[in-house]
């Protein structure tokens, strides 16, 4: 049994902007089945009420750059997991997580440095960790602080650090002067440490000084060691390939399962798919389509996504006319890039016979699209893991995906349709192939639906892999990062 202290900037259900929160909210719960005890340290943002937690440590001093910050530590149990909230007045307790309408907060380096140092104090006083499991750049300073600020501290003797990369595209890049503000002297200002293209890169602290690295799918672990997907970190990652694991994220089937989904017009399962037709009818009715035989018979392709370059929806825009020339219906939910929002809003008016969109975030509608659609489109240029394709498999909604990262790991020829190379013509070919199978081979389509629904991407397999990794780290005294200076350069 290992005691794991997870450190992250967000966790479901308390604060969420993306998949990171889903992982940090679900993995600690799943680890309990394997005998591990995991707790979570995260900021107490203004949206998290103090009244729902218990104050367990008051006026803890976090020393940085010759001064200190007072933090209070609150505790709340959620699904059997301890969540420690770091409360620092004026620094962490803001309305936004990373920023507001004006953009990212300019002192995010300081904010998350305080989080990392406070997490070490949680381990010292409240939850003696065997392993610090740090997530993304916001927690990447913890391995550095533990190694260089507290090298002989008995409170951390024998502890190990695991750093998980959820999306290498986000690295925590700040001006050099901010490194001084977070207690880092000139030793760390070189390309073999935190310097990167003239600024300070906090992600590198985790990549270099964590004892072990992981990322969120096996294929992404391979991809990020290449120039195409490495975002400038491929040299470090290749040098550390022997301490890099790709562990696929899981899905919380308590929230995402057509048998029990409270948002659906009717439940259904692989044994009885009648409810899926009711969900299709419900989705068409919600968007104002006629409920005639033509609309009920033709396939619905669903999209639930951020409108960002990573997600590849601009590829859809390049081929939208030939897509809508096919005998299908396209329904889109999401927001982001104003140009894509404008394009989809225009299509609402220009192609009401085959297209609808809903701009914004709408969780109940996302569930209804997963259930009511026949296919789910994810043309991401890169996708570290992806969750919607795994939701889609569970709902018998066959994914059409770019063969990258976790999409390539989770979708195959028996459960969906893939295209290689993030190019609009390749995407169009995949859509046309899926539509052809839907219309021309209903037996094959039915087999694919049932095979997809039988695939198990629950957290059990992922938690088992993490539990094994924790145990291996604790049993191997050589499993530690190199001493400063590091042997690799970016």
């Amino acid at each position: 049994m290992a005691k794991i202290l997870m450190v992250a900037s967000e966790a479901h259900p308390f604060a969420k902007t993306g998949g990171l929160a889903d992982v940090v909210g679900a993995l600690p719960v799943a680890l309990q089945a394997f005998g591990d005890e995991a707790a979570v340290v995260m900021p107490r943002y203004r949206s998290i009420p103090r009244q729902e937690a218990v104050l367990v440590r008051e006026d803890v001093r976090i020393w940085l750059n010759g001064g200190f910050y007072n933090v209070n530590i609150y505790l709340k149990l959620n699904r059997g997991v301890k969540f420690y909230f770091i409360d620092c007045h004026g620094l962490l307790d803001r309305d936004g997580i990373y920023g507001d309408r004006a953009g990212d907060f300019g002192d995010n380096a300081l904010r998350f440095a305080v989080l990392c140092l406070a997490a070490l104090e949680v381990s010292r006083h409240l939850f003696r960790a065997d392993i610090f499991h740090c997530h993304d750049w916001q927690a990447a300073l913890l391995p550095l602080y533990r190694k260089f600020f507290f090298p002989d501290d008995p409170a951390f003797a024998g502890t190990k650090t695991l750093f998980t990369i959820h999306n290498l595209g986000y690295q925590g890049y700040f001006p050099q002067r901010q490194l001084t503000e977070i207690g880092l002297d000139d030793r760390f200002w070189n390309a073999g440490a935190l310097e990167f293209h003239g600024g300070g890169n906090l992600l590198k602290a985790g990549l270099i000084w964590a004892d072990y690295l992981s990322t969120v799918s096996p294929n992404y672990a391979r991809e990020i060691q290449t120039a195409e997907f490495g975002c400038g970190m491929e040299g470090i990652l290749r040098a550390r390939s022997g301490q890099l694991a790709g562990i696929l994220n899981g899905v919380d089937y308590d929230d995402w399962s057509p048998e029990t989904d409270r948002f659906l017009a009717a439940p259904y399962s692989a044994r009885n798919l009648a409810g899926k037709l009711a969900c299709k009818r419900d989705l068409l009715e919600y968007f104002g389509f006629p409920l005639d035989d033509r609309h009920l018979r033709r396939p619905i392709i669903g999209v639930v996504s951020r409108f960002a370059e990573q997600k590849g929806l601009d590829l859809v825009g390049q081929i939208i006319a030939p897509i809508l020339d096919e005998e299908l219906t396209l329904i889109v939910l999401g927001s982001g890039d104003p140009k894509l929002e404008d394009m989809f809003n225009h299509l609402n008016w220009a192609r009401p016979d085959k297209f609808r969109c809903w701009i914004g975030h709408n969780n109940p509608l996302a569930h209804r699209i997963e259930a009511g659609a026949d296919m789910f489109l994810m043309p991401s240029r890169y996708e570290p893991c992806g969750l919607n394709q795994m939701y889609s498999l569970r709902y018998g909604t066959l994914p059409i995906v770019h063969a990258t990262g976790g999409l390539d790991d989770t979708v195959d020829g028996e459960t969906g349709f893939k295209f290689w190379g993030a190019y609009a013509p390749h995407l169009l070919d995949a859509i046309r192939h899926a539509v052809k199978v839907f219309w021309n081979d209903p037996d094959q389509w039915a087999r694919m639906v049932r095979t997809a629904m039988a695939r198990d991407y629950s957290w059990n397999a992922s938690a088992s892999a993490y539990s094994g990794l924790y145990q291996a780290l604790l049993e191997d005294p050589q499993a530690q990062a190199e001493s400063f200076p590091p042997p690799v350069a970016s």
Side-chain angles (χ1 to χ4, degrees):
M1 173 180 171
K3 292 190 71 174
I4 315 300
L5 191 60
M6 297 198 181
V7 186
S9 57
E10 55 184 86
H12 178 76
F14 303 108
K16 176 178 175 178
T17 65
L20 167 64
D22 292 318
V23 174
V24 180
L27 178 56
V29 178
L31 285 168
Q32 295 173 121
F34 298 92
D36 298 310
E37 183 184 0
V40 176
V41 177
M42 64 177 291
R44 191 202 72 80
Y45 303 111
R46 194 166 296 165
S47 58
I48 303 173
R50 291 188 185 91
Q51 296 87 336
E52 295 182 3
V54 177
L55 179 64
V56 291
R57 199 82 183 178
E58 191 172 13
D59 290 331
V60 178
R61 287 190 172 184
I62 304 299
W63 292 90
L64 267 177
N65 196 30
F68 65 86
Y69 298 85
N70 271 336
V71 305
N72 296 326
I73 303 172
Y74 290 82
L75 170 65
K76 181 177 175 61
L77 283 175
N78 183 64
R79 299 171 69 185
V81 173
K82 294 176 180 177
F83 281 78
Y84 293 99
F85 298 106
I86 307 305
D87 187 29
C88 187
H89 180 70
L91 195 65
L92 295 175
D93 64 337
R94 299 175 185 172
D95 290 329
I97 295 178
Y98 308 116
D100 54 24
R101 291 182 178 180
D104 288 347
F105 296 129
D107 59 351
N108 274 341
L110 175 61
R111 298 174 73 227
F112 294 112
V114 168
L115 172 68
C116 292
L117 288 168
L120 291 169
E121 295 305 307
V122 169
S123 180
R124 184 192 303 280
H125 297 293
L126 299 168
F127 185 92
R128 187 61 67 93
D130 299 315
I131 293 176
F132 294 96
H133 188 166
C134 308
H135 296 266
D136 268 354
W137 72 262
Q138 296 88 353
L141 285 168
L142 189 148
L144 181 156
Y145 285 147
R146 189 207 63 169
K147 184 175 290 291
F148 299 109
F149 282 32
F150 308 100
D152 302 313
D153 193 322
F156 309 121
T159 60
K160 299 292 176 64
T161 52
L162 171 65
F163 180 65
T164 295
I165 307 156
H166 292 263
N167 190 331
L168 196 61
Y170 299 92
Q171 299 188 359
Y173 187 74
F174 297 95
Q176 179 183 1
R177 60 177 173 75
Q178 294 198 24
L179 296 187
T180 303
E181 293 173 2
I182 58 176
L184 304 180
D185 57 33
D186 288 344
R187 289 179 301 160
F188 298 94
W189 185 250
N190 62 80
L194 300 187
E195 190 275 332
F196 186 69
H197 295 309
N201 186 313
L202 301 193
L203 180 89
K204 291 179 70 178
L207 298 184
I208 294 170
W209 288 294
D211 295 317
Y212 211 89
L213 309 175
S214 73
T215 191
V216 291
S217 72
N219 197 41
Y220 193 57
R222 294 186 290 270
E223 289 180 342
I224 59 178
Q225 297 178 56
T226 69
E228 183 179 1
F229 296 100
C231 300
M233 299 294 110
E234 60 272 10
I236 295 174
L237 291 161
R238 283 197 299 268
R240 299 212 62 193
S241 60
Q243 299 91 39
L244 171 62
I247 299 176
L248 193 71
N249 284 343
V251 170
D252 188 346
Y253 288 140
D254 288 342
D255 287 335
W256 292 93
S257 182
E259 293 96 331
T260 57
D261 194 326
R262 69 186 186 278
F263 297 117
L264 303 192
Y268 64 93
S269 67
R271 295 183 302 277
N272 184 357
L273 289 166
K276 188 164 178 62
L277 181 59
C279 292
K280 185 173 186 175
R281 178 185 293 271
D282 172 69
L283 185 62
L284 290 169
E285 185 174 23
Y286 179 88
F287 279 103
F289 285 105
L291 297 181
D292 54 29
D293 184 63
R294 180 184 181 190
H295 284 86
L296 286 169
R297 288 184 66 243
R298 72 186 183 193
I300 297 176
I301 298 180
V303 175
V304 178
S305 179
R306 286 186 293 112
F307 297 169
E309 182 181 9
Q310 176 202 336
K311 298 300 181 179
L313 293 182
D314 57 306
L315 302 177
V316 176
Q318 294 174 35
I319 53 171
I320 192 63
I323 288 175
L324 295 179
D325 283 343
E326 298 290 322
E327 190 58 27
L328 57 80
T329 299
L330 180 60
I331 292 176
V332 175
L333 165 64
S335 62
D337 185 337
K339 292 181 180 178
L340 288 171
E341 290 188 6
D342 289 345
M343 179 190 74
F344 289 133
N345 274 324
H346 173 74
L347 287 168
N348 257 344
W349 168 80
R351 294 303 305 268
D353 56 324
K354 290 188 174 180
F355 182 86
R356 295 288 193 279
C357 74
W358 201 98
I359 302 298
H361 175 75
N362 187 326
N363 183 56
L365 181 55
H367 284 251
R368 292 164 78 176
I369 290 174
E370 286 285 8
D374 300 286
M375 310 168 199
F376 194 92
L377 185 59
M378 291 184 72
S380 304
R381 283 183 166 80
Y382 71 93
E383 194 67 62
C385 178
L387 292 174
N388 274 102
Q389 85 279 12
M390 293 189 278
Y391 301 156
S392 300
L393 294 170
R394 187 69 164 187
Y395 284 69
T397 302
L398 302 188
I400 304 170
V401 302
H402 179 212
T404 185
L407 302 179
D408 202 17
D409 285 322
T410 53
V411 178
D412 58 40
E414 295 183 332
T415 60
F417 306 88
K418 293 196 282 192
F419 64 99
W420 286 261
Y423 304 106
H426 298 183
L427 168 59
L428 182 58
D429 287 345
I431 292 171
R432 285 173 168 167
H433 177 53
V435 171
K436 182 178 179 180
V437 174
F438 180 90
W439 282 112
N440 295 344
D441 199 338
D443 290 340
Q444 179 185 347
W445 191 269
R447 285 194 301 273
M448 293 178 71
V449 166
R450 289 186 167 85
T451 301
M453 296 182 74
R455 294 288 168 88
D456 183 6
Y457 290 109
S458 67
W459 270 106
N460 284 341
S462 304
S464 176
Y466 275 111
S467 183
L469 178 54
Y470 298 146
Q471 197 60 43
L473 274 172
L474 293 175
E475 291 175 355
D476 182 4
Q478 302 303 315
Q480 56 185 354
E482 298 288 341
S483 300
F484 188 89
V488 295
S490 52

